[in-house]
Amino acid sequence: MKRLIVIVAVLAALLFLWLGWHWLDGRRKPPVDQPSVAVSKIDPPTKVENDPVKIFQRAFWASPTSEDKILHAERREWSNAEGVRKWQWFLVVEPSAPLLKRLRDDNAFGLAPAGSAADIADAPKWFAFDSNESVVMKSPHSEMQLIFSMDGKVLHATDSGLGFRPGAPEPVKQTPPSSAPAPGRLPTTLPPTPKP
């Protein structure tokens, strides 16, 4: 009987350790969502990315710390032969205190307070928030929006824009003047200088 109790205790301890390890591992690694692509069927994106760390880095120009928990992330791109013509990303994060300070208090992106979030076309289903329980900051010059929950525990962020546009055409090369003098009123050579 004692042997059975020892075996059950060891198995329970192993199960407890495995569950604890699995729980901690899930908190360390951000979840990777499958593309939500419930986007317009008229113009579907050519690429959908779900790497949360890469999307966080491109969105906030910084790497997430171990305290930043990325809940959802998605970046969409529409490309053609000339490159990316438009892009859009969505993030839901449980921000760390340093990230909150950088984005909200230091206002790293020069955003302005707004009364409500702008309509976001084709947002993923998981990008949902209560406008009445949020503090919104928007860019005056782009589509960037940061939507903070009142308690600061959840941040919804999104941005979109156009991709690279072709540069100006090469200027037309001027042909060098011909060696023959151009007809006109003035002579093509200097006048003689008198000698004293």
Side-chain angles (χ1 to χ4, degrees):
M1 184 70 177
K2 287 184 180 182
R3 185 175 173 175
L4 181 62
I5 293 173
V6 170
I7 291 173
V8 169
V10 169
L11 289 175
L14 288 174
L15 178 64
F16 179 72
L17 288 173
W18 181 81
L19 288 173
W21 173 80
H22 185 67
W23 179 77
L24 285 175
D25 191 48
R27 291 195 48 88
R28 280 193 299 266
K29 292 181 188 174
V32 178
D33 293 324
Q34 294 300 321
S36 68
V37 191
V39 296
S40 172
K41 292 177 179 155
I42 297 170
D43 188 20
T46 53
K47 179 181 176 185
V48 177
E49 185 176 357
N50 291 98
D51 184 334
V53 174
K54 283 184 182 177
I55 295 168
F56 185 102
Q57 290 170 335
R58 290 182 82 174
F60 299 138
W61 303 355
S63 294
T65 65
S66 60
E67 297 172 9
D68 295 313
K69 185 176 178 188
I70 304 169
L71 303 176
H72 302 283
E74 183 170 297
R75 180 179 169 87
R76 304 167 182 169
E77 291 181 0
W78 290 260
S79 302
N80 58 21
E82 283 132 19
V84 177
R85 58 184 176 84
K86 71 178 183 175
W87 51 268
Q88 183 179 40
W89 57 258
F90 301 93
L91 272 169
V92 179
V93 179
E94 287 180 7
S96 62
L99 180 63
L100 265 180
K101 180 182 180 309
R102 180 173 172 263
L103 296 178
R104 186 178 58 193
D105 303 334
D106 297 345
N107 199 3
F109 293 103
L111 306 178
S116 64
D119 288 335
I120 303 162
D122 299 324
K125 289 180 183 176
W126 47 258
F127 196 80
F129 52 89
D130 184 357
S131 296
N132 298 325
E133 296 294 321
S134 302
V135 175
V136 180
M137 296 177 74
K138 294 182 194 175
S139 171
H141 307 292
S142 70
E143 300 298 318
M144 185 174 205
Q145 296 186 80
L146 301 180
I147 302 125
F148 301 92
S149 63
M150 289 288 196
D151 58 7
K153 291 184 179 179
V154 180
L155 164 64
H156 288 74
T158 183
D159 197 2
S160 62
L162 300 176
F164 299 108
R165 296 183 183 172
E170 290 288 325
V172 177
K173 292 185 179 181
Q174 299 288 332
T175 56
S178 63
S179 58
R185 277 186 49 197
L186 300 175
T188 57
T189 61
L190 293 174
T193 54
K195 296 192 180 191

